[in-house]
Amino acid sequence: MTATKELRFNAFNMTAPSHNWAGLWSHPRDASIGYNTLDYWTDFARTAERGLLDGIFLADVFGVYDVFGDSPDTAIRHGVQIPNADPTLFVSAMALVTKHLGFGITANLTLDHPYHFARRFSTLDHLTQGRIGWNIVTGYLDSGARGMGFEAGRAHDDRYDVADDFLAATYKLWEGSWAQDAVRRDRVSGVFTDPAKVRAIHHHGPHYRVDGIHLSEPSPQRTPLLYQAGASRRGRSFAAKHAEAIFLNGQTKPMLAETVKAIRTATKDFGRSPHDIKLFAGLNIIVAPTRGEAKDLHAEYASYVHQSGQLALLSGWTGIDFSKFAPDQALQYVESNAIQSMVENLTKRSDVPMKIGDLASLSPAGARAPFVVGSPQDVADELADWARETDIDGFNLVRLVAPESLAAFVDLVVPELQSRGLYKTAYREGTLREKLFPNAAALLPASHPAAQYRQPV
C-alpha cells in the first residue's frame, strides 16, 4: 500500500441489543439497550460523521438463532440478535442529522419481491440525497423461512440463483422504467411527468415475475450502492458480478489476502476492473491512550461476553450445534446451508485448531475478524499493515461497547491516520457512490450488468 492510499471505514452495527458479541449490551457504559430508540441512532450517526466515516453498515438477520440446543431459548434469554428491528426505518432519522454519512442496509431478498423492494430503496435514496447502499443477502436461517410459511430455507447455492433473478428484475425497475428526464415538474403546463418517457418493465424469470412501471421516479443513484458479503465460492462469483463493495471476514492476513485476490481476479470474468469493487474487512478495535490502558479495557469488555450466548450466535452462523461439544473439543469442518465461508475460515483455513471454548471468548479465536488492541499508534500501524499485506480497501468497525468504542476510534485513531496521510480530512461532495469512487458518477458505470437495462438519454 502506498502512503497516499486512503483507507475507508464503516461503523458496523445492528438494530438489536447484541451484534457480533453476545452480552456486551450488559456493560454499564453500553447504550445498545436503547437499540429501538431514535436518540441512540442519531447520536451514533453524529459520532460516525464527526469521524468522517464513509458510512454506517447495518447488519440484519431474518429469523431467530435456534440451532444451539435445538432451541431459541439461549438467544432469546441473552439478547442474541433478538429482539431486532427493521434497519430501514432508522435511516431517515440518521440522514436528517448528518450530511455526508452513507448507510449500508442489509436486506434479505429471498423473502421479498422486486417490485415492492425497489420502491422502498428508491425512496430511501431520495430521502438521503443518494447516500443509500444495499447489502445484498439471501438469508441462511431456517427459522426465518418457517416464519414466512416455508418448510425450510433454500440450499446455499440455490439462494444465489434466486438472487441473480431478483437483481435482474430490480435493475430493470431502477434503471429502465423511467428516463432520466421523464419528470418535468412543470407548473405552467401542468405536466409533472412525460408519459412517453416512462415504460413498464416485463421480467419473466425463473423465480420472479414483474410487469409494471417502477413506482418511484429516478433517485440520485437510481440503483443504490451495492454491498455484498458472500465469501464462499458461489458467493464470490455473485459478488464479482454485482457488488461495488464487499464485506469480508478473515482472522489472518494470509487468509484475507487469498480471498481478496480471488475476488479481484473473478471480476475480470464479468468484464469489470478489479478495482470496480471496494473491499472491506471486519475489524475489532479496542484503543486507549496507552497500550496498557487498552489491554485493561480489553479485559474489562471480555468479562461481559456471555459464553453460551456467544455459542448460540456462532451456532446460527455456522449451522453447527455447539451445545453438543465440550469446551476443549476442536472444531471440525461440517457442510451446511449457513455461512460456509465462516466454517471454512474456522477449520480448513485456520493455522491452529479452534477449540469450542475459544470461540466464546473476546479474542481473535472468537472473532470472525481481526482483533487490534493498543494505543492509537499501535492501531494505525496494524491498519496500515493489514491494508498493505492484503490489498484491502478499508474496514468495517465491529460494534463492541457502543458508542464508547466508536468514539474512541474517532478521537484517537482518526487523527493518527490523518497525520500519516492514510485518511481523509474532509468529505467529498456527491452521492455515496461518488464518495467511495472519486472518479465515478452518481449512476452505475457502464461495465456493471445493471447498465444494460438503462434507457438511452
Side-chain angles (χ1 to χ4, degrees), residues 227-274:
Y227 288 93
Q228 218 276 320
S232 64
R233 185 182 302 276
R234 180 66 177 91
R236 287 198 298 265
S237 175
F238 179 86
K241 178 180 179 181
H242 295 286
E244 297 173 89
I246 300 177
F247 174 33
L248 303 171
N249 279 307
Q251 292 92 329
T252 68
K253 292 170 185 171
M255 185 186 298
L256 189 60
E258 180 183 352
T259 303
V260 169
K261 183 178 180 180
I263 289 173
R264 295 214 191 275
T265 299
T267 60
K268 299 176 184 177
D269 296 335
F270 296 99
R272 305 177 69 195
S273 164

Side-chain angles (χ1 to χ4, degrees), residues 93-385:
M94 290 191 283
L96 186 63
V97 300
T98 57
K99 183 180 178 181
H100 295 283
L101 190 68
F103 304 97
I105 307 170
T106 299
N108 182 345
L109 60 82
T110 307
L111 303 176
D112 212 322
H113 189 277
Y115 193 62
H116 177 253
F117 180 88
R119 183 181 69 160
R120 186 161 71 248
F121 269 71
S122 289
T123 301
L124 285 168
D125 202 47
H126 278 297
L127 295 177
T128 61
Q129 296 182 310
R131 292 189 275 152
I132 287 296
W134 170 29
N135 178 35
I136 306 163
V137 297
T138 58
Y140 55 89
L141 293 181
D142 283 344
S143 61
R146 292 194 300 270
M148 291 295 293
F150 301 97
E151 291 186 5
R154 292 183 174 94
H156 179 275
D157 286 6
D158 291 345
R159 295 200 301 264
Y160 285 106
D161 294 337
V162 172
D164 276 320
D165 191 36
F166 188 102
L167 283 169
T170 51
Y171 289 159
K172 291 174 184 177
L173 289 163
W174 282 326
E175 299 289 339
S177 188
W178 294 61
Q180 194 68 21
D181 59 350
V183 177
R184 292 185 178 178
R185 287 181 168 86
D186 188 337
R187 286 190 170 100
V188 175
S189 68
V191 174
F192 195 91
T193 301
D194 181 353
K197 296 193 174 184
V198 179
R199 64 188 182 191
I201 69 102
H202 302 284
H203 177 85
H204 298 172
H207 302 281
Y208 298 99
R209 178 172 179 146
V210 177
D211 290 281
I213 294 167
H214 184 33
L215 297 175
S216 170
E217 65 179 278
S219 70
Q221 297 183 114
R222 282 190 174 262
T223 297
L225 188 97
L226 299 170
Y227 288 93
Q228 218 276 320
S232 64
R233 185 182 302 276
R234 180 66 177 91
R236 287 198 298 265
S237 175
F238 179 86
K241 178 180 179 181
H242 295 286
E244 297 173 89
I246 300 177
F247 174 33
L248 303 171
N249 279 307
Q251 292 92 329
T252 68
K253 292 170 185 171
M255 185 186 298
L256 189 60
E258 180 183 352
T259 303
V260 169
K261 183 178 180 180
I263 289 173
R264 295 214 191 275
T265 299
T267 60
K268 299 176 184 177
D269 296 335
F270 296 99
R272 305 177 69 195
S273 164
H275 296 284
D276 281 351
I277 300 176
K278 296 292 185 186
L279 301 178
F280 291 82
L283 185 69
N284 298 271
I285 292 180
I286 298 177
V287 62
T290 68
R291 188 177 302 170
E293 290 173 295
K295 290 181 178 179
D296 291 343
L297 194 61
H298 181 198
E300 178 191 323
Y301 287 179
S303 69
Y304 287 91
V305 173
H306 196 281
Q307 293 191 346
S308 62
Q310 191 65 21
L311 289 177
L313 182 61
L314 285 159
S315 292
W317 283 341
T318 62
I320 301 169
D321 183 358
F322 289 123
S323 71
K324 298 179 179 179
F325 298 86
D328 61 351
Q329 194 169 348
L331 176 63
Q332 302 294 322
Y333 178 78
V334 177
E335 189 81 27
S336 81
N337 271 334
I339 306 177
Q340 289 187 0
S341 60
M342 181 185 298
V343 183
E344 291 173 356
N345 285 350
L346 293 172
T347 55
K348 293 180 177 181
R349 302 178 67 192
S350 177
D351 294 333
V352 295
M354 293 283 186
K355 294 184 178 180
I356 304 303
D358 294 336
L359 299 179
S361 63
L362 190 70
S363 68
R368 293 192 292 166
F371 230 96
V372 179
V373 179
S375 68
Q377 295 76 22
D378 294 332
V379 173
D381 288 344
E382 278 292 303
L383 292 174
D385 286 347

Side-chain angles (χ1 to χ4, degrees), residues 54-116:
D54 294 283
I56 293 176
F57 189 101
L58 291 169
D60 189 33
V61 66
F62 200 79
V64 179
Y65 290 106
D66 59 359
V67 175
F68 186 79
D70 196 27
S71 167
D73 288 358
T74 299
I76 292 171
R77 182 175 296 112
H78 301 296
V80 180
Q81 297 190 5
I82 184 73
N84 68 56
D86 184 337
T88 61
L89 300 181
F90 295 91
V91 169
S92 292
M94 290 191 283
L96 186 63
V97 300
T98 57
K99 183 180 178 181
H100 295 283
L101 190 68
F103 304 97
I105 307 170
T106 299
N108 182 345
L109 60 82
T110 307
L111 303 176
D112 212 322
H113 189 277
Y115 193 62
H116 177 253

